[in-house]
Coordinates of all heavy atoms in Angstrom, one line a residue:
M1 N 33.1 58.8 14.4 CA 32.9 60.1 13.9 C 32.4 60.0 12.5 O 32.9 59.2 11.7 CB 34.2 60.9 14.0 CG 34.2 62.3 13.3 SD 34.4 63.5 14.6 CE 33.8 64.9 13.7
I2 N 31.5 60.9 12.1 CA 30.9 60.9 10.8 C 31.7 61.9 9.9 O 32.0 63.0 10.4 CB 29.4 61.3 10.8 CG1 28.7 60.3 11.7 CG2 28.8 61.4 9.5 CD1 27.3 60.8 12.1
N3 N 32.1 61.5 8.7 CA 32.9 62.3 7.8 C 32.0 63.3 7.1 O 31.1 62.9 6.4 CB 33.6 61.4 6.8 CG 34.5 62.2 5.9 OD1 34.6 63.5 6.0 ND2 35.2 61.6 5.0
S4 N 32.2 64.6 7.3 CA 31.4 65.6 6.6 C 32.1 66.3 5.5 O 31.5 67.1 4.9 CB 31.0 66.6 7.7 OG 32.1 67.3 8.1
K5 N 33.3 65.9 5.1 CA 34.0 66.6 4.0 C 33.4 66.4 2.7 O 33.4 67.4 1.9 CB 35.4 66.1 4.0 CG 36.2 66.5 5.2 CD 37.7 66.2 5.1 CE 38.4 66.7 6.3 NZ 39.8 66.4 6.3
S6 N 32.8 65.3 2.4 CA 32.3 65.1 1.0 C 30.7 65.2 1.0 O 30.1 64.8 0.1 CB 32.6 63.7 0.5 OG 32.0 62.7 1.3
H7 N 30.2 65.8 2.0 CA 28.7 65.9 2.1 C 28.2 67.3 1.8 O 28.8 68.3 2.3 CB 28.4 65.5 3.6 CG 27.0 65.0 3.7 ND1 25.9 65.9 3.6 CD2 26.5 63.8 3.9 CE1 24.8 65.2 3.8 NE2 25.1 63.9 4.0
E8 N 27.1 67.4 1.0 CA 26.5 68.7 0.8 C 25.5 69.0 1.9 O 24.8 68.1 2.4 CB 25.6 68.5 -0.5 CG 26.2 69.0 -1.8 CD 26.9 70.3 -1.8 OE1 26.2 71.3 -1.5 OE2 28.1 70.4 -2.1
F9 N 25.5 70.2 2.4 CA 24.6 70.6 3.4 C 23.7 71.7 3.0 O 24.1 72.7 2.5 CB 25.4 71.0 4.7 CG 26.1 69.9 5.3 CD1 27.4 69.6 5.1 CD2 25.4 69.1 6.2 CE1 28.0 68.5 5.7 CE2 26.0 68.0 6.8 CZ 27.3 67.7 6.5
N10 N 22.4 71.5 3.3 CA 21.4 72.5 3.1 C 21.1 72.9 4.5 O 21.2 72.2 5.5 CB 20.2 71.9 2.4 CG 20.5 71.5 1.0 OD1 21.0 72.3 0.2 ND2 20.2 70.2 0.7
K11 N 20.6 74.1 4.7 CA 20.2 74.6 6.0 C 18.9 73.9 6.3 O 17.9 74.1 5.6 CB 20.0 76.1 6.0 CG 21.4 76.8 5.8 CD 22.2 76.7 7.1 CE 23.5 77.5 7.0 NZ 24.3 77.4 8.1
I12 N 18.9 73.1 7.3 CA 17.6 72.4 7.8 C 17.0 73.3 8.8 O 17.6 74.2 9.4 CB 17.9 71.0 8.3 CG1 18.9 71.0 9.4 CG2 18.4 70.1 7.1 CD1 19.1 69.7 10.1
T13 N 15.7 73.1 9.0 CA 14.9 73.9 9.9 C 14.6 73.1 11.2 O 14.8 71.9 11.3 CB 13.6 74.3 9.3 OG1 12.8 73.1 9.1 CG2 13.7 74.9 7.9
G14 N 14.2 73.9 12.2 CA 13.8 73.3 13.5 C 12.6 72.4 13.3 O 12.6 71.3 14.0
T15 N 11.7 72.7 12.5 CA 10.6 71.8 12.2 C 11.1 70.5 11.6 O 10.6 69.4 12.0 CB 9.6 72.5 11.2 OG1 9.2 73.8 11.8 CG2 8.4 71.7 10.9
Q16 N 12.0 70.5 10.7 CA 12.6 69.3 10.1 C 13.3 68.5 11.2 O 13.1 67.2 11.2 CB 13.6 69.6 9.0 CG 12.9 70.1 7.7 CD 13.9 70.4 6.7 OE1 14.7 71.4 6.8 NE2 14.0 69.7 5.6
L17 N 14.0 69.1 12.1 CA 14.6 68.4 13.2 C 13.6 67.7 14.1 O 13.8 66.5 14.4 CB 15.5 69.3 14.1 CG 16.7 69.9 13.4 CD1 17.3 71.0 14.3 CD2 17.7 68.8 13.2
R18 N 12.5 68.4 14.4 CA 11.5 67.8 15.3 C 10.9 66.6 14.6 O 10.6 65.5 15.1 CB 10.4 68.8 15.6 CG 10.9 69.9 16.6 CD 9.7 70.7 17.1 NE 8.9 71.3 16.1 CZ 9.1 72.5 15.5 NH1 10.1 73.2 15.8 NH2 8.2 72.9 14.6
A19 N 10.5 66.8 13.3 CA 9.9 65.7 12.5 C 10.8 64.5 12.3 O 10.4 63.4 12.5 CB 9.5 66.3 11.1
A20 N 12.1 64.8 12.1 CA 13.0 63.7 11.9 C 13.2 62.8 13.2 O 13.2 61.6 13.1 CB 14.4 64.3 11.5
R21 N 13.3 63.5 14.3 CA 13.4 62.8 15.6 C 12.2 61.9 15.8 O 12.2 60.7 16.2 CB 13.6 63.7 16.7 CG 15.0 64.1 17.0 CD 15.2 64.7 18.4 NE 14.2 65.6 18.9 CZ 13.3 65.4 19.8 NH1 13.2 64.2 20.3 NH2 12.5 66.3 20.2
A22 N 11.0 62.5 15.5 CA 9.7 61.7 15.7 C 9.7 60.5 14.8 O 9.2 59.4 15.2 CB 8.5 62.6 15.4
M23 N 10.2 60.6 13.6 CA 10.1 59.5 12.6 C 11.0 58.3 13.1 O 10.6 57.2 12.8 CB 10.6 60.0 11.2 CG 9.6 60.9 10.6 SD 10.1 61.4 8.9 CE 9.6 60.0 8.0
I24 N 12.0 58.6 13.8 CA 12.9 57.5 14.2 C 12.8 57.2 15.7 O 13.6 56.4 16.3 CB 14.4 57.7 13.8 CG1 14.9 59.0 14.3 CG2 14.5 57.6 12.3 CD1 16.4 59.2 14.1
H25 N 11.8 57.8 16.4 CA 11.5 57.6 17.8 C 12.8 57.9 18.7 O 13.1 57.2 19.6 CB 11.1 56.2 18.0 CG 9.9 55.8 17.2 ND1 8.6 56.3 17.4 CD2 9.8 55.0 16.1 CE1 7.8 55.8 16.5 NE2 8.5 55.0 15.7
W26 N 13.4 59.0 18.4 CA 14.6 59.5 19.2 C 14.1 60.6 20.1 O 13.3 61.5 19.7 CB 15.7 60.1 18.3 CG 16.6 59.0 17.8 CD1 16.5 57.7 17.8 CD2 17.9 59.3 17.1 NE1 17.6 57.1 17.2 CE2 18.5 58.1 16.8 CE3 18.5 60.5 16.8 CZ2 19.7 58.0 16.1 CZ3 19.7 60.4 16.1 CH2 20.3 59.2 15.8
S27 N 14.7 60.6 21.3 CA 14.5 61.7 22.2 C 15.5 62.8 21.9 O 16.4 62.5 21.1 CB 14.7 61.3 23.7 OG 16.0 60.9 23.9
A28 N 15.4 64.0 22.5 CA 16.3 65.0 22.3 C 17.7 64.5 22.8 O 18.8 64.8 22.2 CB 15.9 66.3 23.0
K29 N 17.7 63.8 23.9 CA 18.9 63.2 24.4 C 19.6 62.2 23.5 O 20.8 62.3 23.3 CB 18.6 62.5 25.8 CG 19.8 62.0 26.5 CD 19.5 61.4 27.8 CE 20.8 60.8 28.5 NZ 20.4 60.2 29.7
D30 N 18.8 61.4 22.8 CA 19.3 60.5 21.8 C 20.1 61.3 20.7 O 21.2 60.9 20.3 CB 18.2 59.7 21.1 CG 17.6 58.7 22.1 OD1 18.2 58.2 23.1 OD2 16.4 58.4 21.9
L31 N 19.4 62.3 20.2 CA 20.0 63.1 19.1 C 21.3 63.8 19.6 O 22.3 63.8 18.9 CB 19.0 64.2 18.5 CG 19.6 65.1 17.5 CD1 20.3 64.4 16.3 CD2 18.5 66.0 17.0
A32 N 21.2 64.4 20.8 CA 22.4 65.0 21.4 C 23.6 64.1 21.5 O 24.7 64.4 21.1 CB 22.0 65.6 22.7
Q33 N 23.3 62.9 22.0 CA 24.4 61.9 22.1 C 25.0 61.5 20.7 O 26.2 61.4 20.6 CB 23.9 60.7 22.9 CG 23.7 61.0 24.3 CD 23.1 59.8 25.1 OE1 22.5 58.9 24.5 NE2 23.4 59.7 26.4
A34 N 24.1 61.3 19.8 CA 24.5 60.9 18.4 C 25.3 62.0 17.7 O 26.2 61.7 17.0 CB 23.3 60.4 17.6
A35 N 24.9 63.2 18.0 CA 25.6 64.4 17.4 C 26.8 64.9 18.1 O 27.5 65.7 17.6 CB 24.6 65.5 17.2
G36 N 26.9 64.4 19.4 CA 28.0 64.9 20.2 C 27.9 66.3 20.7 O 28.8 67.1 20.8
I37 N 26.6 66.7 20.9 CA 26.3 68.1 21.4 C 25.4 68.0 22.6 O 25.0 66.9 23.0 CB 25.6 68.9 20.3 CG1 24.3 68.3 19.9 CG2 26.5 69.1 19.1 CD1 23.5 69.0 18.9
G38 N 25.1 69.1 23.2 CA 24.3 69.1 24.4 C 22.8 69.1 24.1 O 22.3 69.5 23.0
V39 N 22.0 68.6 25.0 CA 20.6 68.5 24.9 C 20.0 69.9 24.7 O 19.0 70.1 24.0 CB 19.9 67.7 26.1 CG1 18.4 67.7 26.0 CG2 20.5 66.3 26.1
A40 N 20.5 70.8 25.5 CA 20.0 72.2 25.4 C 20.2 72.8 24.0 O 19.3 73.5 23.5 CB 20.7 73.1 26.4
T41 N 21.2 72.4 23.3 CA 21.4 72.8 21.9 C 20.3 72.2 21.0 O 19.8 72.9 20.1 CB 22.8 72.4 21.4 OG1 23.8 73.0 22.2 CG2 23.1 72.9 19.9
V42 N 20.0 71.0 21.2 CA 19.0 70.3 20.4 C 17.6 71.1 20.6 O 16.9 71.4 19.7 CB 18.8 68.8 20.7 CG1 17.6 68.2 20.0 CG2 20.1 68.1 20.3
S43 N 17.3 71.3 21.9 CA 16.1 71.9 22.3 C 16.0 73.3 21.7 O 15.0 73.8 21.2 CB 15.9 72.0 23.8 OG 15.9 70.7 24.3
R44 N 17.1 74.1 21.8 CA 17.1 75.4 21.2 C 16.9 75.4 19.7 O 16.2 76.3 19.2 CB 18.5 76.1 21.6 CG 18.5 77.6 21.5 CD 19.8 78.2 22.2 NE 21.0 77.6 21.7 CZ 21.8 76.9 22.5 NH1 21.5 76.5 23.7 NH2 23.0 76.4 22.0
A45 N 17.5 74.5 19.0 CA 17.4 74.4 17.6 C 15.9 74.1 17.2 O 15.4 74.6 16.2 CB 18.3 73.4 17.0
E46 N 15.3 73.2 17.9 CA 14.0 72.7 17.6 C 12.8 73.7 17.8 O 11.8 73.6 17.2 CB 13.7 71.4 18.3 CG 14.5 70.3 17.7 CD 14.1 68.9 18.3 OE1 13.4 68.9 19.3 OE2 14.6 67.9 17.8
V47 N 13.0 74.7 18.7 CA 11.9 75.6 19.0 C 11.7 76.6 17.8 O 10.7 77.3 17.8 CB 12.1 76.4 20.3 CG1 12.1 75.4 21.5 CG2 13.3 77.3 20.3
E48 N 12.7 76.7 16.9 CA 12.6 77.7 15.8 C 12.0 76.9 14.6 O 12.4 75.8 14.3 CB 14.0 78.2 15.5 CG 14.6 79.0 16.6 CD 15.9 79.6 16.3 OE1 16.0 80.3 15.3 OE2 16.8 79.5 17.1
D49 N 11.1 77.6 13.9 CA 10.5 76.9 12.7 C 11.4 77.1 11.5 O 11.4 76.2 10.7 CB 9.1 77.5 12.4 CG 8.1 77.1 13.4 OD1 8.2 76.0 14.0 OD2 7.1 77.9 13.7
G50 N 12.1 78.2 11.5 CA 13.1 78.3 10.3 C 14.4 77.7 10.7 O 14.5 76.9 11.5
V51 N 15.5 78.2 10.0 CA 16.8 77.8 10.2 C 17.2 78.2 11.6 O 17.1 79.3 12.0 CB 17.8 78.3 9.2 CG1 19.2 77.9 9.5 CG2 17.4 77.9 7.8
P52 N 17.6 77.2 12.5 CA 17.9 77.5 13.9 C 19.1 78.4 14.0 O 20.1 78.4 13.2 CB 18.2 76.1 14.5 CG 17.7 75.1 13.5 CD 17.7 75.8 12.2
S53 N 19.2 79.2 15.0 CA 20.3 80.1 15.3 C 21.3 79.4 16.2 O 21.7 79.9 17.2 CB 19.8 81.4 15.9 OG 19.1 81.1 17.1
V54 N 21.7 78.2 15.8 CA 22.8 77.5 16.5 C 24.0 77.5 15.5 O 23.8 77.9 14.4 CB 22.4 76.0 16.8 CG1 21.3 76.0 17.8 CG2 22.1 75.2 15.6
T55 N 25.1 77.1 16.0 CA 26.3 77.2 15.1 C 26.2 76.2 13.9 O 25.5 75.2 14.0 CB 27.6 76.8 15.9 OG1 27.6 75.5 16.3 CG2 27.8 77.7 17.1
S56 N 26.8 76.6 12.8 CA 26.8 75.7 11.7 C 27.3 74.3 12.0 O 26.8 73.3 11.5 CB 27.6 76.3 10.5 OG 27.0 77.5 10.1
A57 N 28.3 74.3 12.8 CA 28.9 73.0 13.2 C 27.9 72.1 14.0 O 27.8 70.9 13.7 CB 30.1 73.2 14.1
N58 N 27.1 72.7 14.9 CA 26.1 72.0 15.6 C 25.0 71.5 14.7 O 24.5 70.4 14.8 CB 25.6 72.8 16.8 CG 26.6 72.8 17.9 OD1 27.5 72.0 18.0 ND2 26.4 73.8 18.8
L59 N 24.5 72.4 13.8 CA 23.5 72.0 12.9 C 23.9 70.9 12.0 O 23.2 69.9 11.8 CB 23.0 73.3 12.1 CG 21.8 73.1 11.3 CD1 20.6 72.8 12.1 CD2 21.5 74.4 10.5
K60 N 25.1 71.0 11.5 CA 25.7 69.9 10.7 C 25.8 68.6 11.4 O 25.5 67.5 10.9 CB 27.1 70.3 10.2 CG 27.4 70.2 8.7 CD 28.8 70.6 8.4 CE 28.8 72.0 7.7 NZ 30.1 72.3 7.2
A61 N 26.2 68.7 12.7 CA 26.3 67.4 13.5 C 24.9 66.8 13.7 O 24.8 65.6 13.6 CB 26.9 67.8 14.8
M62 N 23.9 67.6 13.9 CA 22.6 67.0 14.0 C 22.1 66.4 12.7 O 21.5 65.3 12.7 CB 21.6 68.1 14.5 CG 21.8 68.5 16.0 SD 20.5 69.6 16.6 CE 21.2 71.2 16.0
Q63 N 22.3 67.1 11.6 CA 21.9 66.6 10.3 C 22.6 65.3 10.0 O 22.0 64.3 9.6 CB 22.3 67.6 9.2 CG 21.8 67.1 7.8 CD 22.0 68.2 6.8 OE1 22.3 69.4 7.0 NE2 21.9 67.8 5.5
L64 N 23.9 65.2 10.2 CA 24.7 64.0 10.0 C 24.2 62.8 10.8 O 24.1 61.7 10.3 CB 26.2 64.2 10.2 CG 26.9 65.0 9.1 CD1 28.3 65.3 9.5 CD2 26.9 64.2 7.8
A65 N 24.0 63.1 12.1 CA 23.5 62.0 13.0 C 22.1 61.5 12.6 O 21.9 60.3 12.5 CB 23.4 62.6 14.4
L66 N 21.2 62.4 12.2 CA 19.9 61.9 11.7 C 20.0 61.2 10.4 O 19.3 60.2 10.2 CB 19.0 63.1 11.7 CG 18.6 63.7 13.1 CD1 18.0 65.1 12.9 CD2 17.6 62.7 13.7
E67 N 20.8 61.7 9.5 CA 21.0 61.0 8.2 C 21.6 59.6 8.4 O 21.2 58.7 7.7 CB 21.8 61.9 7.3 CG 21.1 63.1 6.7 CD 21.9 64.0 5.9 OE1 23.2 63.9 5.9 OE2 21.3 64.8 5.2
A68 N 22.5 59.5 9.3 CA 23.1 58.2 9.6 C 22.1 57.2 10.2 O 22.2 56.0 10.0 CB 24.3 58.3 10.6
A69 N 21.1 57.8 10.8 CA 20.0 57.0 11.4 C 18.9 56.7 10.4 O 17.9 56.0 10.7 CB 19.4 57.7 12.6
G70 N 19.0 57.1 9.1 CA 18.0 56.8 8.1 C 17.1 57.9 7.7 O 16.1 57.7 6.9
I71 N 17.4 59.1 8.0 CA 16.6 60.3 7.6 C 17.1 60.9 6.4 O 18.3 61.0 6.2 CB 16.5 61.3 8.8 CG1 15.8 60.8 10.0 CG2 15.9 62.6 8.3 CD1 14.3 60.5 9.8
E72 N 16.2 61.4 5.5 CA 16.6 62.2 4.4 C 15.9 63.5 4.5 O 14.7 63.6 4.6 CB 16.2 61.5 3.1 CG 16.6 62.2 1.8 CD 16.2 61.4 0.6 OE1 15.9 60.2 0.6 OE2 16.3 62.1 -0.5
F73 N 16.7 64.6 4.4 CA 16.1 65.9 4.5 C 15.8 66.4 3.1 O 16.7 66.3 2.2 CB 17.1 66.9 5.2 CG 17.2 66.6 6.6 CD1 18.3 65.9 7.1 CD2 16.3 67.1 7.5 CE1 18.4 65.6 8.5 CE2 16.4 66.8 8.9 CZ 17.4 66.1 9.4
I74 N 14.6 66.9 2.8 CA 14.2 67.4 1.5 C 14.3 68.9 1.5 O 13.6 69.5 2.4 CB 12.8 66.9 1.2 CG1 12.7 65.4 1.3 CG2 12.3 67.4 -0.1 CD1 11.3 64.8 1.4
P75 N 15.1 69.5 0.7 CA 15.2 70.9 0.6 C 14.0 71.6 0.0 O 13.2 70.9 -0.6 CB 16.5 71.1 -0.2 CG 16.5 70.0 -1.1 CD 16.0 68.8 -0.3
E76 N 13.9 72.9 0.2 CA 12.9 73.7 -0.5 C 13.0 73.5 -2.0 O 14.1 73.7 -2.5 CB 13.1 75.2 -0.1 CG 12.2 76.1 -0.9 CD 10.7 75.9 -0.6 OE1 10.3 75.9 0.5 OE2 10.0 75.7 -1.6
N77 N 12.0 73.1 -2.6 CA 12.0 72.8 -4.1 C 10.7 73.3 -4.7 O 10.3 72.7 -5.7 CB 12.3 71.3 -4.3 CG 11.2 70.4 -3.7 OD1 10.3 70.9 -3.2 ND2 11.4 69.2 -3.8
G78 N 10.1 74.3 -4.1 CA 8.9 74.7 -4.6 C 7.7 74.1 -3.9 O 6.6 74.7 -3.9
G79 N 7.9 73.0 -3.2 CA 6.8 72.4 -2.5 C 7.0 72.4 -1.0 O 6.3 71.9 -0.2
G80 N 8.1 73.1 -0.5 CA 8.4 73.2 0.9 C 9.4 72.2 1.3 O 9.6 71.2 0.7
V81 N 10.0 72.5 2.4 CA 11.0 71.5 3.0 C 10.3 70.3 3.6 O 9.1 70.4 3.9 CB 11.9 72.2 4.1 CG1 12.7 73.3 3.5 CG2 11.1 72.7 5.2
G82 N 11.1 69.3 3.8 CA 10.4 68.1 4.3 C 11.5 67.1 4.9 O 12.7 67.4 4.9
V83 N 10.9 66.0 5.3 CA 11.8 64.9 5.9 C 11.1 63.6 5.5 O 9.9 63.5 5.5 CB 11.7 65.0 7.5 CG1 12.5 63.8 8.1 CG2 12.3 66.3 8.0
R84 N 11.9 62.6 5.2 CA 11.4 61.3 4.9 C 12.5 60.2 5.3 O 13.6 60.6 5.5 CB 11.0 61.1 3.5 CG 12.2 61.1 2.5 CD 11.7 60.9 1.1 NE 12.8 61.3 0.2 CZ 12.5 61.9 -1.0 NH1 11.3 62.1 -1.4 NH2 13.5 62.2 -1.8
L85 N 12.0 59.0 5.5 CA 12.9 57.9 5.7 C 13.6 57.5 4.4 O 12.9 57.4 3.4 CB 12.2 56.7 6.4 CG 11.6 57.0 7.8 CD1 10.8 55.8 8.2 CD2 12.8 57.2 8.8
K86 N 14.9 57.3 4.5 CA 15.6 56.8 3.3 C 15.1 55.4 2.9 O 14.8 54.6 3.8 CB 17.1 56.7 3.5 CG 17.7 58.1 3.7 CD 19.2 57.9 3.9 CE 19.9 59.2 4.3 NZ 21.3 59.0 4.7
K87 N 14.9 55.2 1.6 CA 14.5 53.9 1.1 C 15.7 53.0 1.2 O 16.8 53.3 0.8 CB 14.1 54.0 -0.3 CG 13.5 52.7 -0.8 CD 12.9 52.9 -2.2 CE 12.3 51.6 -2.7 NZ 11.8 51.7 -4.0
K88 N 15.5 51.8 1.9 CA 16.6 50.9 2.0 C 16.7 50.1 0.7 O 15.7 49.7 0.1 CB 16.3 49.9 3.2 CG 16.3 50.6 4.5 CD 16.0 49.7 5.6 CE 16.0 50.4 6.9 NZ 15.6 49.6 8.0
P89 N 18.0 49.9 0.2 CA 18.2 49.1 -1.0 C 17.4 47.8 -1.0 O 17.6 47.0 0.0 CB 19.7 48.9 -1.1 CG 20.2 50.0 -0.2 CD 19.2 50.3 0.8
G90 N 16.7 47.5 -2.0 CA 16.0 46.2 -2.1 C 14.7 46.1 -1.3 O 14.1 45.0 -1.2
V91 N 14.3 47.2 -0.7 CA 13.1 47.1 0.1 C 12.0 48.1 -0.5 O 12.3 49.2 -0.7 CB 13.4 47.5 1.6 CG1 12.1 47.6 2.4 CG2 14.4 46.6 2.2
D92 N 10.9 47.5 -0.8 CA 9.8 48.4 -1.3 C 9.0 48.9 -0.1 O 8.7 48.2 0.8 CB 8.8 47.6 -2.2 CG 9.5 47.2 -3.5 OD1 10.3 48.0 -3.9 OD2 9.2 46.2 -4.0
R93 N 8.6 50.2 -0.2 CA 7.7 50.8 0.9 C 6.4 51.1 0.3 O 6.2 51.5 -0.7 CB 8.4 52.0 1.5 CG 9.5 51.7 2.4 CD 9.8 52.8 3.3 NE 10.8 52.4 4.2 CZ 11.7 53.2 4.7 NH1 11.8 54.4 4.4 NH2 12.6 52.7 5.5

């Protein structure tokens, strides 16, 4: 289980979820299993471009699973939301 107590959460979007899965070559089933939720929940979250209308707990579970797999979610900061792979310590990209 991933510990979410000390983690800051921004509301991620369905677009970010789709992009994050694509970056790490995960299927919806892969994300569902990693997050401990149903595939239908993943699909429902991803069809929305804005913040998905799924429960906060399910959205958090998806975010944590993707972050554990190496994804970094970029919040709205004037340039729009985004997704990138986390830089591994000691590795230049």
Side-chain angles (χ1 to χ4, degrees):
M1 173 116 195
I2 300 169
N3 182 358
S4 64
K5 290 186 179 181
S6 64
H7 202 286
E8 266 309 300
F9 288 97
N10 296 305
K11 293 289 186 179
I12 58 175
T13 67
T15 303
Q16 285 177 295
L17 289 170
R18 290 190 307 272
R21 271 198 319 104
M23 290 181 81
I24 57 173
H25 306 285
W26 274 12
S27 67
K29 183 177 179 181
D30 293 331
L31 176 54
Q33 288 176 336
I37 61 176
V39 176
T41 301
V42 172
S43 298
R44 198 168 51 251
E46 288 186 349
V47 298
E48 300 182 49
D49 289 329
V51 176
S53 58
V54 297
T55 66
S56 293
N58 286 342
L59 191 58
K60 230 181 252 191
M62 287 185 276
Q63 181 176 348
L64 284 172
L66 289 163
E67 287 175 344
I71 293 294
E72 182 176 347
F73 291 96
I74 304 165
E76 172 63 53
N77 58 6
V81 297
V83 178
R84 67 177 164 217
L85 293 172
K86 291 179 187 173
K87 185 174 181 180
K88 294 179 183 174
V91 176
D92 289 328
R93 284 201 177 145

